[in-house]
Every structure is written in C-alpha cells, then in structure tokens.
Amino acid sequence: MISGLGSTLGRLARPYRAPTTIFRSFRTRLLSSLAVLEQRDGKLNQNALRAITAAQQLGGTVTGIVAGENIQGLVKEISVIQGIQKILVVDNPAYEKGLPEIFAPLLVENIKKGGYSHVFAGQTAFGKSLMPRVAALLDVSQISDITAIINENTFVRPIYAGNVISTVESLDNIKIITVRGTAFTPAETQGGSASIEAGVDPKAEFPITWLFENLSKNDRPNLTSAGRVVAGGRGLKSKEDFDRVILPLADALGAAIGASRAAVDSGYADNSLQVGQTGKVVAPQLYLCTGISGAIQHLAGMKDSKVIAAINKDADAPIFQVADVGLVGDLFEKVPELTEKLKEHSV
Amino acid sequence: MSTLRILVPVKRVIDYAFKFICSFSSLTFLQIKPRVNPTKTAVVTTGVKHSLNPFDEISIEEAVKMRERHIKEPSKFNPKVDEIIAFSVGPTKSIETLRTAMAMGADRSIFVEVKEGEEPESLGVAKLLAKIVKKEKINLVLAGKQSIDSDAGSVGGMLGGLLGWGFAGQACKVTFRTPSVCIVEKEVDGGTETVEGHLPMVITADLRLNEPRYASLSNIMKAKKKKVDKLTAKELGVDVGRRLLTREVTEPLPRQGGGKVEDVDGMIKRLKDLVTASL
C-alpha cells in the first residue's frame, strides 16, 4: 500500500515531458497493448488500422482482437498488418453487430487473461458505445479521443470542441483508450506476420436485440478517411441545390461529401455527413467548403485539415480566418464555375 | 414494471452558444471561446456564462415528452411516467441548472455538491448515478451523449456497465413496444441502427432526438418550489477521486487564414500550389 502511494506521488512529481531513455526502455518491456479491431461483414474499419498505429507508438507488444461471423478471410488480412504480433480471434455471430452489452464482457475477459496494460479502439460509434462499458467493468477511467501519446501514462486529448488541448495522466493500471482516427496514420496492411490464437469467448447473453440498420450507400470515399472532402452548409438553401451544386464538385475532386449541422438539420444532407463537434471529425488533405460560416462547433470537426478552402458570400464569415484560400462570392455562381474548370485542370 | 421512473443527469457547462452584439452599423457574432488560465492548469470558468449542457436539455425534453404522450394517449406504446428526477454533481451554482431542468418538467432534483474545479470525472459521476438509480428505483436513465466541455462521452456507457443494464448511445428516436420494451434508433457512422432492449436501460441522447422547449415564466416560477435534495458523495458511499490528472491545458496553435483570391481561376491556382506543397 505504501509503495503504491509512493509510486503515485512519484508520478505526480515527475515532469511528463522528460522520460529518460533508461526509464522508457525499462518500462517498454512491461507494456502490452490490445487493439480492438472493429469489423463489419468481414471488412476492417479504417480506424482499427489507426488504433494499431497508436498502440505501436506506445512501444511494447501489440495484440489485435477481432470477433464476429465469418471472419476467417479477414483474419488472414489482419495477420499481415504491420505492427501486430498476435491476433486473438473469436468466431461467433453473437459479436457481429458489436453490441456493447455482449462485446464488453468479451473484451474484459480477454484483457484479464492477457494482462494488457493498454487497450485501444477507434473513436467510432462502436468504440464510443463499447469502451466506457469496458472501463466501468474494470473499474478504471477511460481516456477518450486521444490525439497523441506522451508516454505510457500520459495522453493528449482535445476538450471544449477542440478549443483547448488537455494533457492527462492516468493513474489506472489498465488504460482504456479511444483514438481519434485523424490523429494517427493507418498501419501498413502488408509486411507483418502475426500469430493467430483463439480468444476467450465468455458467451455472455443479454436481452437486447439488434433489429436493423439504415446506412447511406454510395460509391464515394468514406468521409472520415477521405483524402478530400467537399462540404456544404446552410448557404445551399435546399436539398436539390445541395445535390446540384455539391455532388458534381465532389465528383470533380474525387472527394467525400460533408455538411454543416445547419445543412443536416434543414434536411439538405444526411445526418451521417455532419462534420463537427457532434458529428464526424475529419482531417483530409483538402477540405473545400461552401455556404458554411465556420461556427466553433463546425471548426472542431475540420480545422486539422491540411488545406482548407472556402467559398462564401459573406467576406466576414469566420471560416475565412482559418481558410488557406478563400473566395468571396455567390456559391451558386462560383461553385459550378469551379467544378467546370476543375474538370479541365485537375488539382 | 409498468411505469417509468426516469433519471436525467444534467451538467452545468460553459455556454456554447453565440452572443449577439447589436451595434448601429452591424450585427456581430461573438463566440464564447474557452480561455486557458495563465498557469495552464485549467480553463477559466469564473465570470463566464454557463448553461445546461445542450445534450442534457434534449434528454430532459425526451423524458417530459414521454410523460405528455402518456397523458394524451395512454397505451402500451406510451407508458406512464411515474417520476422524472434530475441529477447534477458540481459546484453550488449547478443548482441553477437543476432549476432549469425542473422548469422544463423534471419533478424534483438530487444534487451532489463539490468544490469548483473538483468535479468528478466520468467514472465518479457514473458511480454516483448508479447509487441514485438504486435508491430511487429508477428504470430508465436518459443522459446526454456527451458534455460539451470535457467531450468524453463516457458517463452513459459506464453507467450501463456498472448497473449491468442495456445501453443505447446516441439515440435519435425512442419508442416503446410494450411498457418495458424499448426500441431505440441510434446514430452510427454511416447512418442509423435500431436496437430493441428491455428496461431497465440507459439511453444517451443525440442532437436529433428532439427540439428542447423553452421554459415558460410560470414554469420557471413553479420550479422554484420544487424540491432539491442535497447529498454528498460520502453519504452515497462513492469515492469520486480522480484517476485522470490534468497535467496541462493549452490553447491549440491558431490557424492562420491564407487570405482571399479574386476569382475561381485564382482559387484553382492557389489550390494547386497548396495541395502540391502539403503532399
């Protein structure tokens, strides 16, 4: 008990920025991470690759866990991802839908058995539902939506819609972490060789039933992983105008489509396309937006984009304070012109 | 259980909305942007406008709507709401937040007071809620999906885990099939997903669940007479000690706007340069 207190106090006094190399190499041997590999219908979620990268950055061993129905093909794919040493496989249709009530006990059992010091999952709808439950079952805090790792106890995460960056140190033995996808590059999907093991399957039952889903289907790149995003806001005025103006521009750039909350609330675009504090966080190479004023909550979802371009008729719109290139003008004129010209000179 | 006993956790947070400043020449928007204190240990909260966390407003509204639906048309799809209890943990001023919740329709409140700056983190809050749930025989917890200050989004999920209840996060529609079977449509990446769960349950509200009402003056007055029970974490037997220590808070590096161009050709030229440079 006394030594436990001592180590706590030691941690309090230690400046987090200067972990010595000796300290780090000593601790690294004790670190072992579990990366939760989110999958659906045998396809790996992009954010799983980013969770692997985060686990790798920590040092120590990285084990992946995948569960669901008909995942044998996927396991082969995962086994060659760079940076994972071992994969735990739980082949059981019960886990296919990722319901937290049955997935959390699965994870808890495997964490206990493997003695992992860190558990990483993507900050996706699945991760957001699952990880707090896992943390509660293990009686530890959760560290949500991290953007950087300082050392094995200390992590960086945005608060107040990304307007403040907080560095937090966890005193828990097991760190339950969700990872902001845009802050970590995806792990290479080739060149690795992980061993495959069967994970523990607690076969927990729970009176909850997955009924159906309603996902928007299109051939466009996925919003959260796209290299380019074209986004529209209230300035588009109607769903017809949104589709007429935004879709061709996205096609010309090979971009995913995003929207502001105002556009989503007005029914111009689907909810799942909302970019912002309460929607998706994106950080593409190029974020081109139009008819978006740039409210604080919207900026929270896109201000880490490499290049931001904006077209807006209001020269004082806050979006121009963050845009690398801005054009003041009527979007109904400028965007179609831009679309036509982009077809000639590809960017 | 045939009637609903609903617990609605609410949090007092720095106001998220715009401030409107009218002057003779123009209408200016001034956003409340959180400021970091000089010692970089916390966000400045004194003298800053606070309000009810917007997601919590939505969860109260949903509880009140459930009651109204039963009053208008009692059926197995609209089960009776027995009581709506608002809960908050925070500094003294959080009572204002509870008053707002009661003005919107909560029947009474439970308040756990802590010192400013010593608010428990998600796990502590979830543990307090778990105790209240048992004490008040709650069978439905309607919480917001996240607070807009810490952005952690974990209290609801943790509470589900602590109680061993079903959890439906980011709900955009809640209906009943029977008084104890609830159908929840949830916002997920790429669309929505619908699940069916048995009460007791924890549900967290997404923005699209409903449009919260404004409290009328008469309801604000009535809310002043509603009861607020004060409890301490110790009385509830909960250790709300922090497991996560904030080491430093900073403001992110500001992004510099790159200026404006005259026309579409100018934009394409700049985009070409920028995209090439950023590769």
Side-chain angles (χ1 to χ4, degrees):
Chain A
M1 209 52 225
I2 289 172
S3 68
L5 181 66
S7 81
T8 308
L9 291 173
R11 254 181 298 203
L12 287 169
R14 197 167 60 230
Y16 69 83
R17 279 187 196 286
T20 64
T21 338
I22 299 159
F23 168 75
R24 185 160 254 195
S25 62
F26 168 68
R27 292 295 290 214
T28 302
R29 271 180 279 145
L30 304 173
L31 297 176
S32 62
S33 301
L34 184 67
V36 185
L37 306 178
E38 178 178 354
Q39 68 90 26
R40 255 308 169 77
D41 302 325
K43 275 175 78 180
L44 195 66
N45 187 297
Q46 273 290 309
N47 279 297
L49 295 171
R50 297 165 192 266
I52 294 168
T53 304
Q56 257 181 293
Q57 279 184 13
L58 190 75
T61 58
V62 181
T63 303
I65 182 163
V66 61
E69 189 175 19
N70 297 327
I71 48 172
Q72 289 314 317
L74 179 67
V75 170
K76 280 207 189 82
E77 277 174 45
I78 295 171
S79 67
V80 295
I81 293 174
Q82 267 183 35
I84 318 186
Q85 282 83 50
K86 191 163 82 179
I87 311 169
L88 301 177
V89 180
V90 180
D91 200 335
N92 180 343
Y95 302 112
E96 182 61 24
K97 301 303 183 190
L99 292 170
E101 293 83 354
I102 49 170
F103 213 103
L106 166 80
L107 217 45
V108 168
E109 289 306 310
N110 283 283
I111 293 166
K112 282 185 178 159
K113 185 174 175 233
Y116 302 100
S117 60
H118 293 70
V119 184
F120 291 92
Q123 172 82 351
T124 57
F126 166 78
K128 283 188 235 179
S129 283
L130 171 68
M131 296 298 262
R133 195 173 182 98
V134 172
L137 293 176
L138 293 168
D139 192 28
V140 300
S141 270
Q142 187 201 344
I143 310 149
S144 304
D145 206 19
I146 65 159
T147 53
I149 298 169
I150 307 269
N151 64 38
E152 78 266 24
N153 299 318
T154 317
F155 307 89
V156 177
R157 54 179 306 265
I159 54 176
Y160 289 92
N163 285 292
V164 179
I165 307 297
S166 162
T167 304
V168 292
E169 180 171 353
S170 164
L171 304 179
D172 285 316
N173 295 328
I174 305 172
K175 275 81 172 170
I176 300 295
I177 300 165
T178 57
V179 170
R180 177 171 288 205
T182 57
F184 297 88
T185 51
E188 288 291 329
T189 52
Q190 274 166 18
S193 60
S195 61
I196 298 167
E197 258 181 45
V200 189
D201 186 353
K203 296 193 168 70
E205 286 187 9
F206 205 91
I208 193 150
T209 323
W210 187 93
L211 295 179
F212 53 87
E213 66 190 357
N214 183 9
L215 302 181
S216 52
K217 289 183 184 68
N218 58 48
D219 304 329
R220 290 177 201 288
N222 185 302
L223 179 56
T224 46
S225 55
R228 292 168 177 196
V229 172
V230 167
R234 196 197 301 270
L236 268 311
K237 296 209 163 65
S238 71
K239 178 163 172 39
E240 291 66 38
D241 286 332
F242 191 97
D243 290 350
R244 183 170 59 81
V245 173
I246 295 290
L247 268 50
L249 179 61
D251 288 338
L253 283 166
I257 291 175
S260 70
R261 187 184 156 199
V264 167
D265 283 352
S266 310
Y268 306 171
D270 190 78
N271 290 344
S272 60
L273 301 183
Q274 189 195 324
V275 172
Q277 182 186 19
T278 57
K280 303 278 170 3
V281 177
V282 302
Q285 196 101 46
L286 173 64
Y287 188 84
L288 203 169
C289 60
T290 186
I292 290 180
S293 65
I296 200 166
Q297 293 84 7
H298 185 75
L299 297 182
M302 49 61 86
K303 68 183 159 67
D304 293 324
S305 305
K306 296 271 185 337
V307 176
I308 298 174
I311 299 176
N312 204 302
K313 67 178 176 191
D314 175 9
D316 297 323
I319 191 75
F320 288 124
Q321 290 163 20
V322 298
D324 299 290
V325 50
L327 176 61
V328 179
D330 182 358
L331 71 90
F332 292 106
E333 236 171 72
K334 302 295 180 190
V335 177
E337 185 188 344
L338 180 66
T339 307
E340 281 314 305
K341 288 186 171 160
L342 279 173
K343 284 180 189 160
E344 291 157 31
H345 329 256
S346 66
V347 169
Chain B
M1 254 178 273
S2 55
T3 59
L4 301 176
R5 293 188 53 79
I6 306 176
L7 180 65
V8 188
V10 298
K11 187 176 183 184
R12 175 178 176 264
V13 296
I14 291 185
D15 195 273
Y16 77 107
F18 290 100
K19 240 184 204 169
F20 296 90
I21 296 175
C22 288
S23 67
F24 290 108
S25 56
S26 66
L27 181 71
T28 322
F29 296 99
L30 185 81
Q31 253 164 338
I32 301 176
K33 217 172 174 180
R35 294 264 163 251
V36 167
N37 69 12
T39 52
K40 294 189 175 176
T41 50
V43 169
V44 177
T45 52
T46 43
V48 180
K49 188 178 180 240
H50 281 70
S51 56
L52 181 53
N53 180 39
F55 292 104
D56 301 342
E57 277 183 355
I58 294 169
S59 55
I60 299 163
E61 177 67 31
E62 194 62 21
V64 177
K65 280 219 166 88
M66 282 177 186
R67 165 176 285 158
E68 289 170 347
R69 279 199 291 262
H70 171 80
I71 292 167
K72 211 174 146 201
E73 198 191 327
S75 72
K76 62 173 183 170
F77 304 111
N78 298 321
K80 183 170 189 285
V81 175
D82 195 23
E83 191 166 32
I84 301 169
I85 303 174
F87 169 88
S88 195
V89 50
T92 324
K93 284 185 174 166
S94 303
I95 292 187
E96 291 165 20
T97 310
L98 290 169
R99 295 273 172 225
T100 311
M102 291 187 293
M104 287 175 72
D107 300 306
R108 62 184 172 99
S109 296
I110 295 172
F111 177 50
V112 172
E113 186 172 345
V114 293
K115 277 195 210 131
E116 179 104 33
E118 287 182 13
E119 292 88 349
E121 60 205 28
S122 303
L123 185 65
V125 175
K127 285 180 177 176
L128 291 172
L129 286 168
K131 293 284 182 180
I132 302 291
V133 158
K134 289 191 178 137
K135 199 165 171 278
E136 300 290 347
K137 299 188 172 54
I138 299 295
N139 58 2
L140 176 62
V141 177
L142 285 173
K145 74 163 178 176
Q146 76 193 64
S147 67
I148 59 162
D149 52 0
S150 68
D151 281 339
S154 49
V155 171
M158 285 180 167
L159 182 59
L162 291 175
L163 294 166
W165 290 9
F167 168 66
Q170 295 173 263
C172 56
K173 196 174 179 193
V174 180
T175 52
F176 289 85
R177 198 160 63 80
T178 76
S180 60
V181 177
C182 198
I183 297 171
V184 186
E185 188 176 335
K186 314 187 306 182
E187 293 278 349
V188 296
D189 306 330
T192 63
E193 161 182 294
T194 305
V195 296
E196 183 182 277
H198 289 257
L199 294 188
M201 251 182 113
V202 180
I203 297 173
T204 62
D206 204 319
L207 271 180
R208 287 172 202 93
L209 184 56
N210 58 48
E211 191 83 40
R213 69 195 61 195
Y214 288 101
S216 68
L217 188 62
S218 71
N219 284 339
I220 292 171
M221 298 313 284
K222 276 180 209 154
K224 290 188 177 172
K225 295 198 183 88
K226 289 183 181 174
K227 204 166 89 178
V228 181
D229 287 322
K230 289 181 193 168
L231 288 168
T232 63
K234 213 175 159 190
E235 279 167 352
L236 289 166
V238 176
D239 172 15
V240 290
R242 293 190 78 90
R243 314 281 190 86
L244 292 177
L245 306 176
T246 302
R247 283 286 172 232
E248 186 185 57
V249 290
T250 54
E251 278 169 27
L253 291 175
R255 212 182 155 115
Q256 288 297 322
K260 290 167 187 151
V261 291
E262 284 302 311
D263 52 19
V264 168
D265 293 320
M267 182 167 232
I268 291 177
K269 192 174 169 299
R270 282 278 286 144
L271 279 181
K272 272 189 180 168
D273 296 346
L274 287 166
V275 170
T276 322
S278 73
L279 281 175

